[in-house]
Structures are given as C-alpha cells and as structure tokens.
Coordinates of all heavy atoms in Angstrom, one line a residue:
T13 N 2.1 -19.9 -7.4 CA 1.1 -19.7 -8.3 C 0.1 -20.9 -8.2 O 0.5 -22.0 -8.2 CB 1.6 -19.6 -9.8 OG1 2.6 -18.6 -9.8 CG2 0.5 -19.4 -10.8
G14 N -1.2 -20.6 -8.2 CA -2.2 -21.6 -8.1 C -2.5 -22.2 -9.4 O -2.0 -21.8 -10.5
A15 N -3.3 -23.3 -9.4 CA -3.6 -24.0 -10.6 C -4.4 -23.1 -11.6 O -4.3 -23.4 -12.8 CB -4.5 -25.2 -10.2
D16 N -5.1 -22.1 -11.1 CA -5.8 -21.2 -12.0 C -5.0 -20.1 -12.6 O -5.5 -19.2 -13.3 CB -7.0 -20.7 -11.3 CG -6.7 -19.8 -10.1 OD1 -5.5 -19.7 -9.8 OD2 -7.6 -19.2 -9.5
G17 N -3.7 -20.1 -12.3 CA -2.8 -19.0 -12.9 C -2.6 -17.8 -12.0 O -1.9 -16.9 -12.4
W18 N -3.3 -17.7 -10.9 CA -3.2 -16.5 -10.0 C -1.9 -16.7 -9.2 O -1.5 -17.7 -8.8 CB -4.4 -16.4 -9.1 CG -5.7 -16.3 -9.8 CD1 -6.5 -17.2 -10.2 CD2 -6.2 -15.1 -10.4 NE1 -7.6 -16.7 -10.9 CE2 -7.4 -15.4 -11.0 CE3 -5.8 -13.7 -10.3 CZ2 -8.2 -14.4 -11.7 CZ3 -6.6 -12.8 -11.0 CH2 -7.7 -13.1 -11.6
S19 N -1.3 -15.5 -8.9 CA -0.1 -15.5 -8.2 C -0.3 -14.7 -6.9 O -0.8 -13.6 -7.0 CB 1.0 -14.9 -9.1 OG 2.2 -14.9 -8.4
A20 N 0.2 -15.2 -5.8 CA 0.0 -14.5 -4.5 C 0.8 -13.2 -4.5 O 1.9 -13.1 -5.1 CB 0.5 -15.4 -3.4
V21 N 0.3 -12.2 -3.7 CA 1.0 -11.0 -3.5 C 2.2 -11.2 -2.7 O 2.1 -11.9 -1.6 CB 0.1 -9.9 -2.8 CG1 0.8 -8.7 -2.4 CG2 -1.1 -9.6 -3.8
T22 N 3.4 -10.7 -3.1 CA 4.6 -10.9 -2.3 C 5.1 -9.7 -1.6 O 5.9 -9.8 -0.7 CB 5.7 -11.4 -3.3 OG1 5.9 -10.5 -4.4 CG2 5.4 -12.8 -3.9
S23 N 4.7 -8.5 -2.1 CA 5.1 -7.3 -1.4 C 4.1 -6.1 -1.8 O 3.4 -6.2 -2.8 CB 6.5 -6.9 -1.8 OG 6.6 -6.5 -3.1
F24 N 4.2 -5.0 -1.0 CA 3.5 -3.8 -1.3 C 4.5 -2.7 -1.3 O 5.5 -2.7 -0.6 CB 2.5 -3.5 -0.2 CG 1.4 -4.5 0.0 CD1 1.5 -5.6 0.9 CD2 0.2 -4.4 -0.8 CE1 0.5 -6.5 1.0 CE2 -0.8 -5.4 -0.7 CZ -0.7 -6.4 0.2
I25 N 4.2 -1.7 -2.2 CA 5.0 -0.5 -2.2 C 4.0 0.7 -1.8 O 3.0 0.9 -2.5 CB 5.6 -0.2 -3.6 CG1 6.6 -1.4 -3.9 CG2 6.4 1.1 -3.6 CD1 7.1 -1.3 -5.4
V26 N 4.3 1.3 -0.7 CA 3.5 2.4 -0.2 C 4.2 3.7 -0.3 O 5.4 3.8 0.2 CB 3.1 2.1 1.3 CG1 2.2 3.2 1.8 CG2 2.4 0.8 1.4
T27 N 3.6 4.7 -0.9 CA 4.3 6.0 -1.1 C 3.3 7.1 -0.5 O 2.1 7.1 -0.9 CB 4.6 6.4 -2.5 OG1 5.5 5.4 -3.0 CG2 5.3 7.7 -2.6
C28 N 3.8 7.9 0.4 CA 3.0 9.0 1.0 C 3.9 10.2 1.0 O 5.0 10.2 1.6 CB 2.6 8.7 2.4 SG 1.3 7.4 2.5
G29 N 3.6 11.2 0.2 CA 4.4 12.4 0.0 C 5.7 11.9 -0.6 O 5.8 11.2 -1.6
A30 N 6.9 12.3 0.0 CA 8.2 11.9 -0.5 C 8.7 10.6 0.2 O 9.8 10.2 -0.1 CB 9.2 13.0 -0.2
T31 N 7.9 9.9 1.0 CA 8.3 8.7 1.7 C 7.8 7.5 1.0 O 6.6 7.4 0.8 CB 7.8 8.8 3.2 OG1 8.3 9.9 3.8 CG2 8.3 7.5 3.9
T32 N 8.7 6.5 0.7 CA 8.3 5.3 0.1 C 8.8 4.1 1.0 O 9.9 4.1 1.4 CB 8.9 5.1 -1.3 OG1 8.4 6.2 -2.1 CG2 8.5 3.8 -1.9
V33 N 7.9 3.1 1.2 CA 8.2 2.0 2.0 C 7.8 0.7 1.2 O 6.7 0.7 0.7 CB 7.5 2.0 3.4 CG1 7.7 0.7 4.2 CG2 7.9 3.2 4.2
E34 N 8.7 -0.3 1.2 CA 8.3 -1.6 0.6 C 8.2 -2.6 1.7 O 9.1 -2.6 2.5 CB 9.3 -2.0 -0.5 CG 8.9 -3.3 -1.2 CD 9.7 -3.6 -2.4 OE1 10.6 -2.8 -2.8 OE2 9.5 -4.6 -3.0
T35 N 7.2 -3.4 1.7 CA 7.0 -4.3 2.8 C 6.3 -5.6 2.3 O 5.5 -5.5 1.3 CB 6.2 -3.7 3.9 OG1 6.1 -4.6 5.0 CG2 4.8 -3.3 3.5
S36 N 6.5 -6.7 3.0 CA 5.7 -7.9 2.7 C 4.7 -8.1 3.9 O 4.0 -9.1 3.9 CB 6.6 -9.1 2.6 OG 7.4 -9.3 3.8
E37 N 4.7 -7.2 4.8 CA 3.7 -7.3 5.9 C 2.4 -6.8 5.5 O 2.2 -6.1 4.5 CB 4.3 -6.4 7.1 CG 5.6 -6.9 7.6 CD 5.7 -8.3 8.2 OE1 4.7 -8.7 8.8 OE2 6.7 -9.0 7.9
S38 N 1.4 -7.1 6.4 CA 0.0 -6.6 6.1 C -0.3 -5.2 6.6 O -1.5 -4.8 6.5 CB -1.0 -7.7 6.6 OG -0.9 -7.7 8.0
A39 N 0.6 -4.6 7.3 CA 0.4 -3.2 7.8 C 1.8 -2.5 7.8 O 2.8 -3.2 7.9 CB -0.1 -3.2 9.2
V40 N 1.7 -1.2 7.6 CA 2.9 -0.4 7.6 C 2.6 0.9 8.3 O 1.5 1.4 8.2 CB 3.5 -0.2 6.2 CG1 2.6 0.6 5.4 CG2 4.9 0.4 6.2
T41 N 3.6 1.4 9.1 CA 3.5 2.8 9.7 C 4.4 3.7 8.9 O 5.6 3.4 8.9 CB 3.8 2.7 11.2 OG1 2.8 1.9 11.8 CG2 3.6 4.1 11.8
I42 N 3.9 4.7 8.4 CA 4.7 5.8 7.7 C 5.0 6.8 8.7 O 4.1 7.4 9.3 CB 3.9 6.4 6.5 CG1 3.4 5.3 5.5 CG2 4.8 7.4 5.8 CD1 4.5 4.6 4.8
T43 N 6.3 7.1 9.0 CA 6.7 8.1 9.9 C 7.4 9.3 9.2 O 7.7 9.2 8.0 CB 7.7 7.5 11.0 OG1 8.8 7.0 10.3 CG2 7.0 6.4 11.8
G44 N 7.7 10.3 10.0 CA 8.4 11.5 9.4 C 7.5 12.4 8.6 O 8.0 13.3 7.9
L45 N 6.2 12.3 8.8 CA 5.3 13.2 8.1 C 4.8 14.3 9.0 O 4.9 14.2 10.2 CB 4.0 12.4 7.6 CG 4.3 11.2 6.7 CD1 3.0 10.4 6.5 CD2 4.9 11.6 5.4
D46 N 4.4 15.4 8.4 CA 3.9 16.5 9.2 C 2.6 16.2 9.8 O 1.7 15.6 9.2 CB 3.8 17.8 8.4 CG 5.2 18.3 7.9 OD1 6.2 18.1 8.6 OD2 5.2 18.9 6.8
G47 N 2.3 16.6 11.1 CA 1.1 16.4 11.8 C -0.1 17.1 11.2 O 0.1 18.2 10.6
A48 N -1.3 16.5 11.3 CA -2.5 17.1 10.8 C -2.4 17.7 9.4 O -2.8 18.8 9.1 CB -3.0 18.2 11.8
T49 N -1.8 16.9 8.5 CA -1.6 17.3 7.1 C -2.2 16.2 6.2 O -2.1 15.0 6.4 CB -0.1 17.4 6.9 OG1 0.4 18.4 7.8 CG2 0.2 17.9 5.5
D50 N -2.7 16.7 5.1 CA -3.2 15.8 4.0 C -2.1 15.3 3.2 O -1.2 16.1 2.8 CB -4.3 16.5 3.1 CG -5.6 16.8 3.8 OD1 -5.8 16.2 4.9 OD2 -6.3 17.6 3.3
Y51 N -2.0 14.0 2.9 CA -1.0 13.5 2.0 C -1.7 12.6 0.9 O -2.7 11.9 1.2 CB 0.0 12.6 2.7 CG 1.0 13.3 3.5 CD1 0.7 13.7 4.8 CD2 2.2 13.7 2.9 CE1 1.7 14.4 5.6 CE2 3.1 14.5 3.7 CZ 2.9 14.8 5.0 OH 3.8 15.5 5.7
S52 N -1.2 12.6 -0.3 CA -1.7 11.7 -1.3 C -0.8 10.4 -1.2 O 0.4 10.5 -1.3 CB -1.5 12.3 -2.7 OG -1.9 11.4 -3.7
C53 N -1.4 9.3 -0.9 CA -0.7 8.1 -0.7 C -1.1 7.1 -1.8 O -2.3 7.0 -2.2 CB -1.0 7.5 0.7 SG -0.4 8.5 2.0
S54 N -0.2 6.3 -2.2 CA -0.5 5.2 -3.2 C 0.1 3.9 -2.7 O 1.0 3.8 -2.0 CB 0.1 5.5 -4.6 OG 1.5 5.5 -4.5
V55 N -0.7 2.8 -3.1 CA -0.3 1.5 -2.7 C -0.3 0.6 -4.0 O -1.2 0.6 -4.7 CB -1.2 0.8 -1.7 CG1 -0.8 -0.6 -1.4 CG2 -1.2 1.7 -0.4
T56 N 0.8 -0.1 -4.2 CA 1.0 -1.0 -5.3 C 1.3 -2.4 -4.8 O 2.1 -2.5 -3.9 CB 2.1 -0.5 -6.3 OG1 1.8 0.8 -6.7 CG2 2.2 -1.4 -7.5
A57 N 0.6 -3.4 -5.3 CA 0.8 -4.7 -4.9 C 1.7 -5.4 -5.9 O 1.5 -5.1 -7.1 CB -0.5 -5.5 -4.7
S58 N 2.7 -6.2 -5.5 CA 3.5 -6.9 -6.5 C 3.5 -8.4 -6.3 O 3.3 -8.9 -5.1 CB 5.0 -6.5 -6.2 OG 5.1 -5.1 -6.4
N59 N 3.6 -9.1 -7.4 CA 3.7 -10.6 -7.3 C 4.6 -11.1 -8.4 O 5.2 -10.2 -9.1 CB 2.3 -11.3 -7.3 CG 1.6 -11.1 -8.6 OD1 2.1 -10.7 -9.6 ND2 0.3 -11.3 -8.5
A60 N 4.7 -12.3 -8.7 CA 5.5 -12.9 -9.7 C 5.2 -12.4 -11.1 O 6.0 -12.4 -12.0 CB 5.5 -14.4 -9.7
L61 N 4.0 -11.9 -11.3 CA 3.5 -11.5 -12.6 C 3.8 -10.0 -12.8 O 3.6 -9.5 -13.9 CB 2.1 -11.8 -12.8 CG 1.7 -13.3 -12.7 CD1 0.2 -13.5 -12.8 CD2 2.5 -14.1 -13.8
G62 N 4.2 -9.2 -11.8 CA 4.4 -7.8 -11.9 C 3.7 -7.0 -10.9 O 3.4 -7.5 -9.8
D63 N 3.5 -5.7 -11.2 CA 2.9 -4.8 -10.2 C 1.5 -4.4 -10.6 O 1.1 -4.4 -11.8 CB 3.7 -3.5 -10.2 CG 5.1 -3.6 -9.7 OD1 5.3 -4.6 -9.0 OD2 6.0 -2.8 -10.0
S64 N 0.6 -4.2 -9.6 CA -0.8 -3.8 -9.9 C -0.8 -2.3 -10.2 O 0.2 -1.6 -9.9 CB -1.6 -4.0 -8.6 OG -1.2 -3.1 -7.6
P65 N -1.9 -1.8 -10.7 CA -2.1 -0.4 -10.8 C -2.1 0.2 -9.4 O -2.5 -0.5 -8.5 CB -3.4 -0.2 -11.5 CG -3.8 -1.5 -12.1 CD -3.0 -2.6 -11.3
A66 N -1.6 1.4 -9.3 CA -1.5 2.0 -7.9 C -2.9 2.4 -7.5 O -3.7 3.0 -8.3 CB -0.6 3.3 -8.0
F67 N -3.2 2.2 -6.2 CA -4.4 2.6 -5.6 C -4.0 3.9 -4.9 O -3.1 3.9 -4.0 CB -5.0 1.6 -4.6 CG -6.1 2.1 -3.7 CD1 -7.4 2.2 -4.3 CD2 -5.9 2.5 -2.4 CE1 -8.4 2.7 -3.5 CE2 -6.9 3.0 -1.6 CZ -8.2 3.1 -2.2
V68 N -4.7 5.0 -5.2 CA -4.3 6.3 -4.6 C -5.4 6.9 -3.8 O -6.6 6.8 -4.2 CB -3.9 7.3 -5.7 CG1 -3.6 8.7 -5.2 CG2 -2.8 6.8 -6.6
Q69 N -5.1 7.4 -2.6 CA -6.1 8.0 -1.7 C -5.4 9.1 -0.9 O -4.3 9.1 -0.6 CB -6.6 7.0 -0.7 CG -7.7 7.4 0.2 CD -8.3 6.3 1.0 OE1 -7.8 5.2 1.0 NE2 -9.3 6.6 1.7
V70 N -6.2 10.2 -0.7 CA -5.7 11.3 0.1 C -6.1 11.0 1.6 O -7.2 10.6 1.9 CB -6.3 12.6 -0.3 CG1 -5.9 13.8 0.7 CG2 -5.9 13.0 -1.7
V71 N -5.1 11.0 2.4 CA -5.3 10.7 3.9 C -4.7 11.8 4.7 O -3.9 12.6 4.2 CB -4.6 9.4 4.3 CG1 -5.2 8.2 3.5 CG2 -3.1 9.4 4.0
T72 N -5.2 11.9 6.0 CA -4.7 13.0 6.9 C -4.0 12.3 8.0 O -4.5 11.4 8.6 CB -5.9 13.8 7.4 OG1 -6.6 14.3 6.3 CG2 -5.5 14.9 8.3
T73 N -2.8 12.8 8.3 CA -2.0 12.3 9.5 C -2.7 12.7 10.8 O -3.4 13.7 10.8 CB -0.6 12.8 9.4 OG1 -0.6 14.2 9.4 CG2 0.1 12.3 8.2
D74 N -2.3 12.0 11.9 CA -2.7 12.4 13.2 C -1.9 13.6 13.6 O -1.0 14.1 12.9 CB -2.6 11.3 14.2 CG -1.2 10.8 14.4 OD1 -0.3 11.5 14.1 OD2 -1.1 9.6 14.8
D75 N -2.2 14.2 14.8 CA -1.5 15.4 15.2 C 0.0 15.2 15.4 O 0.8 16.1 15.4 CB -2.1 15.9 16.5 CG -3.5 16.5 16.3 OD1 -3.8 17.0 15.2 OD2 -4.3 16.5 17.3
L76 N 0.4 13.9 15.6 CA 1.9 13.7 15.8 C 2.6 13.3 14.5 O 3.8 13.1 14.5 CB 2.0 12.5 16.8 CG 1.4 12.7 18.2 CD1 1.5 11.4 19.0 CD2 2.0 13.9 18.9
G77 N 1.9 13.3 13.4 CA 2.5 13.0 12.1 C 2.6 11.6 11.8 O 3.3 11.2 10.8
G78 N 1.9 10.7 12.5 CA 1.9 9.3 12.2 C 0.8 8.9 11.2 O -0.2 9.5 11.2
L79 N 1.0 7.8 10.5 CA 0.0 7.3 9.6 C 0.1 5.8 9.5 O 1.2 5.3 9.1 CB 0.2 7.9 8.2 CG -0.8 7.6 7.1 CD1 -2.2 8.0 7.5 CD2 -0.4 8.2 5.8
N80 N -0.9 5.1 10.0 CA -0.9 3.6 9.9 C -1.7 3.2 8.8 O -2.9 3.7 8.6 CB -1.5 3.1 11.2 CG -0.7 3.4 12.4 OD1 0.5 3.2 12.4 ND2 -1.3 3.8 13.5
I81 N -1.2 2.3 7.9 CA -1.9 1.9 6.7 C -2.0 0.3 6.8 O -1.0 -0.4 6.9 CB -1.2 2.3 5.5 CG1 -1.1 3.8 5.4 CG2 -1.8 1.7 4.2 CD1 -0.3 4.3 4.2
M82 N -3.3 -0.2 6.7 CA -3.5 -1.6 6.6 C -3.4 -2.0 5.2 O -4.1 -1.4 4.3 CB -4.8 -2.0 7.2 CG -4.9 -1.7 8.7 SD -3.7 -2.6 9.7 CE -4.2 -4.3 9.4
L83 N -2.7 -3.0 4.8 CA -2.5 -3.5 3.5 C -3.3 -4.8 3.3 O -2.7 -5.8 3.5 CB -1.1 -3.6 3.1 CG -0.2 -2.4 3.4 CD1 1.2 -2.7 3.2 CD2 -0.6 -1.3 2.4
I84 N -4.5 -4.7 2.9 CA -5.4 -5.9 2.7 C -5.6 -6.0 1.2 O -6.1 -5.1 0.6 CB -6.7 -5.7 3.5 CG1 -6.4 -5.5 4.9 CG2 -7.6 -6.9 3.2 CD1 -7.6 -5.2 5.8
C85 N -5.2 -7.1 0.7 CA -5.3 -7.3 -0.8 C -6.0 -8.7 -1.1 O -5.6 -9.7 -0.5 CB -3.9 -7.3 -1.4 SG -3.9 -7.3 -3.1
S86 N -7.0 -8.6 -1.9 CA -7.6 -9.9 -2.3 C -7.7 -9.9 -3.9 O -7.3 -8.9 -4.5 CB -9.1 -9.9 -1.8 OG -9.9 -8.9 -2.4
V87 N -8.2 -11.0 -4.4 CA -8.3 -11.1 -5.9 C -9.2 -9.9 -6.4 O -8.9 -9.4 -7.4 CB -8.9 -12.4 -6.2 CG1 -9.3 -12.5 -7.7 CG2 -7.9 -13.5 -5.9
V88 N -10.2 -9.5 -5.6 CA -11.1 -8.5 -6.1 C -10.4 -7.1 -6.1 O -10.4 -6.4 -7.1 CB -12.4 -8.4 -5.2 CG1 -13.3 -7.2 -5.6 CG2 -13.1 -9.7 -5.3
D89 N -9.8 -6.7 -5.0 CA -9.3 -5.3 -4.9 C -7.9 -5.1 -5.5 O -7.5 -4.0 -5.7 CB -9.5 -4.7 -3.5 CG -8.7 -5.4 -2.4 OD1 -7.9 -6.3 -2.8 OD2 -8.9 -5.2 -1.3
C90 N -7.2 -6.2 -5.7 CA -5.8 -6.0 -6.3 C -5.8 -6.6 -7.7 O -4.7 -6.8 -8.3 CB -4.8 -6.6 -5.4 SG -4.5 -5.7 -3.9
G91 N -6.9 -7.0 -8.2 CA -7.0 -7.5 -9.6 C -6.5 -8.9 -9.8 O -6.4 -9.4 -10.9
G92 N -6.2 -9.6 -8.7 CA -5.8 -11.0 -8.7 C -4.4 -11.2 -9.3 O -3.6 -11.9 -8.7
K93 N -4.1 -10.7 -10.4 CA -2.8 -11.0 -11.0 C -1.8 -9.8 -10.9 O -0.9 -9.7 -11.7 CB -3.0 -11.3 -12.5 CG -3.7 -12.6 -12.7 CD -3.8 -13.0 -14.2 CE -4.5 -14.3 -14.3 NZ -4.6 -14.7 -15.7
A94 N -2.1 -9.0 -9.9 CA -1.2 -7.8 -9.6 C -1.0 -6.9 -10.7 O -1.4 -6.6 -11.7 CB 0.1 -8.2 -9.0

C-alpha cells in the first residue's frame, strides 16, 4: 500500500462462459471454449482492499476455440482501490 492509501492489484479473476481462471499474471489464455463463438467474459481485479466491480465484455473466440486476454490495470480503469 502506497502512502496515498492505494493498494496494488494482486490478482485477477477472469470468467468466460463456465470457465474461471485466477491469475497474478498480466495475461491469461482461456482454453476449452468452442471455436468462432461469442462469450460474455468478466474480469475482476483484487487487492488488499477487496475486489473491483467486474468489467464485462462480449468476445469472440478464434476458430480453434482459444481466447487470449491481456490484463492491464491502472488506477483509472480499475478504480485504484479495486
């Protein structure tokens, strides 16, 4: 936690369809999805103060069913205090 009370993001929870992955990495690959299919995916950032509101977006998998998600979080887009 910084001097201004902000706490760093420690993990992300990514859910696409029925698949949920928790990671502390800046990218995650969701596997086991159907190819060329729309999925509603949500990302929640967590830190010492709790969880952020979920960011939800509809995404389309590639023909092989893979989905790469970059997890970039800053004070602006994750609300700073998660």
Side-chain angles (χ1 to χ4, degrees):
T13 303
D16 62 355
W18 298 95
S19 181
V21 171
T22 56
S23 67
F24 296 96
I25 300 169
V26 181
T27 301
C28 292
T31 303
T32 298
V33 176
E34 185 169 356
T35 183
S36 60
E37 301 297 320
S38 60
V40 64
T41 300
I42 306 295
T43 59
L45 303 174
D46 293 329
T49 302
D50 290 342
Y51 284 91
S52 177
C53 296
S54 67
V55 177
T56 302
S58 299
N59 66 16
L61 300 175
D63 297 337
S64 72
F67 171 78
V68 178
Q69 184 173 7
V70 174
V71 296
T72 303
T73 58
D74 61 23
D75 288 336
L76 301 176
L79 183 62
N80 296 314
I81 299 175
M82 295 300 297
L83 303 170
I84 301 171
C85 188
S86 69
V87 170
V88 174
D89 62 10
C90 287
K93 294 187 178 182

